[in-house]
């Protein structure tokens, strides 16, 4: 076999990791009957092809699958297995395997509705669960979210997902809130991201995490499709307050409703009160300053309960601020995603759920911060490492990578040349599909020796099958 390059070494490392999770021992062997049973859960000619390959090339010895010999062979058929590695992480919890991840690239790809297959669920009555609320923001062109620190107290298989909350207070799987996990340390090493749908249809992570501390970052990639805007021009003081003859200030019903929406958004533990941490993170987001030193003033002057700020106290606080500096309130409303009609338009509340079997953990919120750059970097990396690649217009230094998940497909263009290129990505022949750009026909400028995300594609109706088909043009 030829010498291995960096991508091959990376591939082997990830393949070995998947083997260990599937029950492989430290010598690189896995029980063949167990491996075969997992693959045969779905009747597919592609699965039969993989099993035939394993037997034909003598990778099974004494009913044990030999990792070393298999890996040497797989390097020549990497496209078959590449995206299957991540699904290996959840096989110990998932009775069903998505055979789309094992198939070779055959042009356009039909992606079955995730509701047509079974993905296992960690039973809440048998696990250790915790829920925290959060908010995603799209303000002034930036994308932000609360972050969370997850401390795993002992090695455990863990399920993490987030449910979007509509303006009516209902949870919905139609808006896919995804999650990224990083090790909490100096290097913030990326661990994994949402890759499956749980039985309720939410983007989920099912992963064996080792004891330690991790950072969870919720992300939303569909802002343009949700038609979020930054319209705030016509909001004026009269929309917020009425001034009576005796100069007393009364909040308008619309203003009080908006404050209630905001209060509920920042009440992360959903106990109907704001603790010091929740209030501090809120003030940091809307003003850039900490409120830690002001908390004693809040407790002394506004209604509290169990040393936490009540909604009544929150309303009184902002009634006073409107009297003294209404521009601060205008700024707060805009940063919290309110539009000129005092409706939550540029923010999306969600509920984060973490559950596990057999292992305990701690979950704490962290301040709101931007996720746009880190999400772009991670998703480009995942697409290049795990996606199926092909040349664009038969050029040897220009590639497109397609990484398909049950609820999203990401297309990344990689330019290995020394010149800038402009590539048009026309996905208009895709079926039941929409792009995060709002248009399926989009052109990207790719700088030399870089890669860029061309499309995040989503099913319009996730209950129906959807296909991804892209034609590339050089401009």
């Amino acid at each position: 076999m030829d010498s291995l390059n960096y991508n091959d070494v990376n591939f082997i490392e990830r393949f070995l990791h998947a083997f260990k999770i599937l029950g492989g021992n430290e010598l690189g062997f896995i029980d063949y009957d167990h491996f075969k049973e997992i693959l045969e859960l779905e009747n597919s000619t592609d699965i039969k092809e993989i099993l035939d390959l394993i037997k034909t090339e003598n990778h099974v010895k004494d009913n044990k699958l030999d990792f070393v010999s298999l890996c040497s062979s797989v390097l020549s058929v990497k496209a078959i297995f590449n995206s299957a590695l991540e699904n290996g992480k959840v096989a110990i919890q998932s009775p069903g395997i998505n055979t789309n991840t094992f198939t070779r690239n055959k042009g356009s790809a039909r992606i079955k509705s995730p509701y047509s297959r079974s993905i296992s669920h960690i039973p809440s009555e048998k696990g250790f669960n915790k829920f925290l609320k959060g908010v995603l923001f799209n303000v002034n062109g930036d994308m932000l979210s609360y972050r969370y620190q997850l401390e795993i107290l002992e090695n455990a298989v863990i399920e993490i997902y987030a449910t979007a909350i509509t303006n009516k207070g209902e949870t919905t799987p139609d808006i896919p809130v995804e999650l990224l996990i990083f090790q909490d340390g100096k290097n913030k090493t990326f661990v994994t991201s949402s890759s499956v749908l749980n039985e309720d249809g939410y983007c989920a992570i099912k992963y064996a995490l080792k004891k330690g501390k991790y950072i969870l970052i919720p992300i939303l990639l569909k802002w343009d499709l949700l038609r979020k805007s930054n319209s705030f021009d016509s909001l004026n003081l009269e929309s917020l307050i009425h001034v009576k003859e005796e100069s007393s200030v009364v909040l308008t019903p619309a203003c009080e409703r908006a404050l209630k929406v905001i209060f509920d958004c920042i009440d992360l533990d959903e106990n109907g009160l704001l603790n010091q941490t929740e209030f501090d993170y809120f003030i940091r987001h809307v003003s850039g300053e900490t409120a830690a030193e002001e908390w004693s003033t809040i407790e002394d002057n506004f209604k509290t309960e169990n040393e936490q700020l009540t909604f009544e106290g929150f309303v009184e606080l902002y009634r006073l601020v409107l009297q003294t500096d209404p521009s601060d309130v205008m700024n707060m409303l805009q940063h919290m995603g309110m539009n000129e009609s005092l409706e939550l338009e540029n923010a999306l509340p969600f509920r984060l759920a973490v559950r596990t079997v057999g292992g305990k953990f701690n979950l704490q919120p962290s301040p709101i911060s931007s996720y746009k750059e880190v999400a772009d970097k991670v998703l480009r990396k995942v697409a290049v490492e795990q996606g199926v690649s092909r040349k664009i217009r038969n050029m040897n230094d220009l590639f497109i990578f397609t990484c398909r998940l049950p609820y999203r497909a990401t297309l990344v263009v990689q330019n290995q040349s020394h010149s800038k290129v402009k590539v048009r990505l026309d996905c208009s022949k895709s079926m039941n599909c929409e792009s995060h750009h709002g248009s399926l026909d989009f052109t990207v400028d790719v700088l030399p020796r870089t890669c860029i995300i061309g499309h995040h594609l989503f099913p319009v109706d996730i209950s129906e099958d959807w296909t991804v088909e892209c034609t590339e043009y050089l401009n």
Side-chain angles (χ1 to χ4, degrees):
M1 185 177 67
D2 295 334
S3 60
L4 302 180
N5 59 32
Y6 170 80
N7 289 332
D8 291 334
V9 173
N10 179 267
F11 175 80
I12 292 173
E13 289 175 348
R14 293 187 297 113
F15 199 93
L16 178 57
H17 179 60
F19 257 61
K20 287 181 179 179
I21 291 178
L22 286 168
N25 60 30
E26 294 299 325
L27 297 176
F29 291 92
I30 186 172
D31 184 84
Y32 177 66
D33 288 338
H34 174 58
F35 185 73
K36 183 179 178 182
E37 180 182 347
I38 291 172
L39 295 188
E40 288 181 338
L41 286 171
E42 290 199 37
N43 186 18
S44 166
T45 56
D46 296 300
I47 298 301
K48 185 177 183 301
E49 183 179 347
I50 294 171
L51 294 174
D52 288 344
L53 171 70
I54 291 172
K55 279 204 166 183
T56 300
E57 300 191 1
N58 297 318
H59 298 304
V60 179
K61 301 174 183 177
D62 298 326
N63 207 42
K64 297 293 183 182
L65 189 59
D66 186 339
F67 162 76
V68 176
S69 64
L70 177 61
C71 204
S72 298
S73 175
V74 165
L75 286 172
S76 63
V77 289
K78 193 182 300 185
I80 299 177
F81 289 90
N82 219 351
S83 60
L85 302 187
E86 291 303 309
N87 282 348
K89 299 170 187 174
V90 302
I92 52 177
Q93 288 295 323
S94 299
I97 294 292
N98 176 12
T99 56
N100 286 315
T101 60
F102 286 90
T103 57
R104 291 186 175 90
N105 182 29
K106 301 174 182 176
S108 65
R110 176 178 295 273
I111 303 175
K112 293 183 179 180
S113 164
Y115 297 110
S116 65
R117 63 179 182 273
S118 172
I119 297 178
S120 73
H121 187 66
I122 296 179
S124 59
E125 67 274 10
K126 296 182 180 179
F128 183 72
N129 309 312
K130 188 161 186 178
F131 303 88
L132 281 177
K133 204 169 185 179
V135 190
L136 293 140
F137 299 94
N138 183 9
V139 179
N140 298 325
D142 199 4
M143 299 178 187
L144 309 100
S145 176
Y146 283 94
R147 296 187 179 191
Y148 302 85
Q149 185 184 74
L150 174 66
E151 183 181 13
I152 302 296
L153 301 178
E154 52 188 308
N155 296 355
V157 175
I158 198 159
E159 177 185 357
I160 309 171
Y161 63 96
T163 60
I165 302 174
T166 68
N167 289 338
K168 296 181 180 180
E170 301 170 346
T171 58
T172 174
D174 295 335
I175 305 174
V177 179
E178 302 180 50
L179 292 155
L180 309 176
I181 299 184
F182 298 82
Q183 289 181 343
D184 189 3
K186 182 178 180 180
N187 296 325
K188 301 291 190 293
T189 304
F190 173 66
V191 177
T192 189
S193 59
S194 303
S195 60
V196 298
L197 290 177
N198 65 16
E199 64 178 13
D200 297 316
Y202 296 106
C203 304
I205 293 173
K206 296 182 181 180
Y207 200 86
L209 286 178
K210 294 182 179 180
K211 178 180 178 181
K213 293 183 178 180
Y214 300 86
I215 297 172
L216 307 183
I217 304 180
I219 64 172
L220 177 64
L221 304 174
K222 289 186 69 170
W223 282 111
D224 288 348
L225 295 177
L226 297 175
R227 296 178 175 85
K228 299 295 180 181
S229 70
N230 287 298
S231 176
F232 204 73
D233 296 336
S234 65
L235 183 67
N236 52 48
L237 191 58
E238 288 72 26
S239 304
L240 304 176
I241 60 173
H242 296 308
V243 180
K244 293 187 175 181
E245 293 182 0
E246 60 273 21
S247 298
S248 63
V249 171
V250 177
L251 301 184
T252 64
C255 180
E256 191 158 340
R257 283 194 300 270
L259 290 177
K260 182 64 169 71
V261 169
I262 291 170
F263 185 90
D264 289 343
C265 283
I266 61 179
D267 177 18
L268 303 182
D269 58 11
E270 299 187 83
N271 69 343
L273 302 166
L274 296 184
N275 59 42
Q276 182 176 354
T277 298
E278 291 168 337
F279 186 75
D280 182 48
Y281 289 170
F282 162 66
I283 295 298
R284 287 193 199 189
H285 173 58
V286 299
S287 71
E289 300 177 358
T290 179
E293 297 180 359
E294 309 298 330
W295 185 249
S296 59
T297 303
I298 296 293
E299 289 183 303
D300 291 340
N301 294 278
F302 301 98
K303 186 175 180 180
T304 61
E305 183 179 318
N306 298 325
E307 300 182 336
Q308 299 177 83
L309 184 64
T310 65
F311 175 63
E312 183 180 340
F314 185 73
V315 169
E316 179 61 18
L317 168 64
Y318 274 96
R319 189 184 69 81
L320 293 178
V321 176
L322 276 166
Q323 286 182 287
T324 57
D325 195 348
S327 63
D328 278 357
V329 181
M330 299 284 196
N331 179 72
M332 180 274 288
L333 292 170
Q334 188 169 18
H335 274 80
M336 288 303 296
M338 288 287 172
N339 63 14
E340 58 193 13
S341 300
L342 293 179
E343 297 170 336
L344 199 64
E345 184 171 304
N346 298 301
L348 179 72
F350 62 86
R351 185 172 292 110
L352 179 70
V354 181
R355 57 181 55 172
T356 184
V357 173
K360 293 188 176 182
F361 61 89
N362 293 322
L363 181 67
Q364 298 294 334
S366 296
I368 297 166
S369 58
S370 174
Y371 65 80
K372 188 174 182 179
E373 288 187 10
V374 67
D376 187 80
K377 181 179 179 180
V378 165
L379 296 179
R380 278 188 282 118
K381 175 182 173 67
V382 169
V384 170
E385 291 183 352
Q386 300 174 18
V388 176
S389 67
R390 57 182 173 83
K391 295 178 181 179
I392 294 178
R393 295 294 175 182
N394 289 320
M395 297 184 67
N396 292 326
D397 50 14
L398 192 60
F399 298 87
I400 185 166
F401 293 82
T402 303
C403 183
R404 299 182 180 92
L405 298 174
Y407 52 86
R408 169 175 56 82
T410 293
L411 276 58
V412 169
V413 177
Q414 184 184 68
N415 178 15
Q416 297 183 0
S417 75
H418 295 280
S419 303
K420 177 182 175 180
V421 295
K422 186 185 292 285
V423 183
R424 176 186 166 198
L425 303 174
D426 183 4
C427 297
S428 57
K429 293 183 180 179
S430 301
M431 182 184 73
N432 185 30
C433 205
E434 57 187 353
S435 170
H436 79 294
H437 293 301
S439 171
L440 289 170
D441 193 346
F442 193 78
T443 300
V444 293
D445 292 317
V446 194
L447 296 176
R449 316 294 292 179
T450 65
C451 60
I452 190 172
I453 291 175
H455 284 287
H456 292 304
L457 300 171
F458 304 89
V460 176
D461 183 349
I462 200 166
S463 65
E464 300 291 335
D465 292 355
W466 54 295
T467 63
V468 173
E469 185 171 349
C470 183
T471 304
E472 303 85 34
Y473 303 92
L474 297 180
N475 294 340

